[in-house]
Amino acid sequence: MYVALALAVAAVTTASVPATSAATRPSALQWGPCPADVAAATLECTIVQVPLDYREPKGRQIDIAVSRLVSSDPAQRRGVLLTNPGGPGGAGLAYPALLTNPVLPHPLPQSVRDRYDVIGFDPRGVDHSAPVTCDLTPDQIARLNLPYPNNAADVVRDATISKTIAQQCLTSETAALLPHITTANTARDMDRIREALGEPKISYLGASYGTYLGAVYTTLFPARSDRIVLDSSLGSGGYDRTAFQRLAVGMEERFPDFATFAAANPQYGLGTTPGQVRAKYFDLAARLDRTPIQGVDGSLFRGITFEYLYSDLGMPTLAAIWKALDAGQPMPPAPPPAKADNILSSRHHVICGDSPWPKSVRGYQRDVAEHRVAYPLIGAATANITPCAYWPSPVERPVRIGDRGPSNVLMVQNLRDPGTPLSGAQELRKAFGDRARMVTADQGGHGAYLVLAGNTCANDAVTTFLTTGRRPHHDLACPAEPAG
């Protein structure tokens, strides 16, 4: 889920690629200033044209916006490091500037900056790359990603809303793009970017949904993949129905971290033990279900709690929100993100277009009832019906992630990740077989490498791989580190 990373990201040697300098790479691209809303003076931008439909490569072309942060040491330059911050629906043009922002607790190390041109891009359908729309209304946007049904009738209500949204996507001015906004096509776009840059191979750093994008790329183009880093991984099926339901598992695994924090900070008045904090969660959700406070109902409260669990830095704010709502006070108004229609619309396009979803409303009602009991924090929401139930059938089968290809994948994963739980990463690790190694960090939150994550063992393992090609001989478990 595109939240936290957008706000803030003993050895086996892989096959080497000769270092080349920017001055010697063959490339016809014309670089210039980035769009004004990117606002990153360190970046330069360009456009790469790609086929809308790769089955008709000479047919309609669309523009993919690409950014570049040039290597800070051409003598050490190895190649390019493509990046993706997650989503789907997440713009990536400014991501290289975010990763290297010195105000971050853990920006991309200088050693990595020296070895690569760091490349960002807006995936197809997103922001500056043929953006799609579903003409979403403010009320539809305000539902966010996790509307919580309290009963079977609520599922029927959500089915009606989901059907309307799907129909809007199918009839919008960008409807012709809808069948082609998929992860597989974005991976093909990445290879067109590689070709346009004049590079024989690309390295890659992808977070959250970006892990699936990277897994698909290195599956479709194994010979063109150099060093592949997947941070906070979805399962081998990508953002499918199973991954969506896993969010409930992630919240159950992550919530105790917040409960411990709140219990240790009595000024918030949320309880003096983790058990009391958990009870307060259910109490607040039930009260807000009955009587919302200025638009904040139980569903929105649950969703806000889930999203603030993405980072330890969000815990004080979340506790303050709970305290205010507990006292009957409204939250400070939070405007929707800029370009919210495109963010959510492109998200629907990818998630619904990548894999088939169940169609039966009754089946969703059954799943909601079961998951409400199995995962009481938010399980009813993650089992709920979405616009994908009313989406056309995907134009191609999902890409099957397997173990064929070079051993050049390094996965890094927090043990308690709400957005991409450990179980999904373990599934992907198994699918890759000996192609991958996985580094786990005993910490919570979404995003294990750099940016907001402070586990030195995990960070060093990834940086070593990116700069030298050396991976751990076996999967590596990094212990928790003291706070501060």
Side-chain angles (χ1 to χ4, degrees), residues 54 59 137 140 144 198 202 234 244 300 303 325 333 341 390 401:
Y54 278 90
T137 67
Q140 290 169 339
L144 299 176
I202 58 173
L234 288 167
F244 204 68
L300 186 56
L325 292 172
D341 171 72
Y390 301 96
I401 310 301

Side-chain angles (χ1 to χ4, degrees), residues 107-467:
L108 198 66
Q110 189 64 42
S111 57
V112 178
R113 290 276 315 277
D114 291 343
R115 284 166 175 78
Y116 299 97
D117 293 347
V118 184
I119 306 296
F121 69 103
D122 286 347
R124 58 168 56 204
V126 177
D127 208 0
H128 299 285
S129 296
V132 295
T133 179
C134 292
D135 299 319
L136 299 175
T137 67
D139 285 345
Q140 290 169 339
I141 291 171
R143 287 167 53 81
L144 299 176
N145 297 314
L146 294 170
Y148 188 96
N150 281 294
N151 49 50
D154 285 351
V155 178
V156 174
R157 174 207 63 196
D158 292 336
T160 300
I161 296 171
S162 293
K163 186 175 183 179
T164 299
I165 291 173
Q167 187 62 28
Q168 289 172 202
C169 299
L170 285 162
T171 57
S172 78
E173 62 182 356
T174 61
L177 279 65
L178 182 142
H180 311 294
I181 308 299
T182 65
T183 300
N185 280 334
T186 298
R188 295 176 181 116
D189 295 344
M190 288 169 54
D191 203 56
R192 289 297 182 104
I193 293 170
R194 175 202 60 78
E195 184 179 22
L197 291 171
E199 298 289 339
K201 294 186 178 185
I202 58 173
S203 293
Y204 179 79
L205 173 60
S208 191
Y209 159 76
T211 61
Y212 181 58
L213 176 59
V216 170
Y217 179 82
T218 198
T219 298
L220 293 177
F221 304 101
R224 299 169 192 168
S225 305
D226 192 13
R227 298 169 181 170
I228 307 298
V229 175
L230 308 181
D231 178 359
S232 308
S233 292
L234 288 167
S236 57
Y239 225 136
D240 58 6
R241 172 82 168 143
T242 298
F244 204 68
Q245 291 180 338
R246 278 196 183 113
L247 297 176
V249 178
M251 186 164 182
E252 295 286 348
E253 293 174 344
R254 171 62 165 160
F255 187 84
D257 291 341
F258 173 71
T260 298
F261 167 83
N265 288 273
Q267 67 270 26
Y268 296 112
L270 304 177
T272 58
T273 67
Q276 290 176 353
V277 176
R278 185 177 175 94
K280 177 64 71 175
Y281 172 86
F282 293 113
D283 172 61
L284 280 171
R287 284 158 53 190
L288 291 165
D289 281 335
R290 295 190 299 269
T291 310
I293 299 176
Q294 291 194 7
V296 179
D297 59 8
S299 180
L300 186 56
F301 166 75
R302 295 176 179 93
I304 289 170
T305 298
F306 175 80
E307 294 195 350
Y308 271 100
L309 295 180
Y310 272 40
S311 169
D312 287 354
L313 296 179
M315 288 187 180
T317 301
L318 179 59
I321 289 171
W322 278 33
K323 180 180 179 180
L325 292 172
D326 193 33
Q329 300 170 355
M331 291 170 45
K339 304 181 182 179
D341 171 72
N342 176 244
I343 292 171
L344 292 174
S345 297
S346 55
R347 177 180 173 82
H348 290 322
H349 279 61
V350 173
I351 292 177
C352 303
D354 270 3
S355 60
W357 285 60
K359 306 294 185 183
S360 167
V361 175
R362 183 169 296 179
Y364 284 100
Q365 289 174 321
R366 182 176 59 253
D367 289 348
V368 163
E370 292 175 354
H371 283 243
R372 181 182 294 109
V373 175
Y375 310 106
L377 289 171
I378 206 167
T382 61
N384 198 15
I385 196 167
T386 76
C388 297
Y390 301 96
W391 213 258
S393 297
V395 297
E396 65 176 309
R397 294 176 182 271
V399 175
R400 183 180 179 274
I401 310 301
D403 60 0
R404 299 182 63 181
S407 297
N408 62 350
V409 178
L410 184 65
M411 302 170 60
V412 59
Q413 179 75 29
N414 290 335
L415 294 184
R416 300 178 303 282
D417 184 329
T420 52
L422 179 63
S423 57
Q426 290 171 329
E427 177 186 276
L428 182 62
R429 170 68 182 87
K430 182 178 180 181
F432 269 128
D434 198 51
R435 288 204 67 188
R437 299 288 184 269
M438 186 160 74
V439 176
T440 52
D442 187 359
Q443 61 186 5
H446 188 50
Y449 180 55
L450 302 177
V451 188
L452 303 177
N455 189 286
T456 304
C457 166
N459 285 345
D460 286 353
V462 177
T463 298
T464 296
F465 175 60
L466 285 174
T467 54

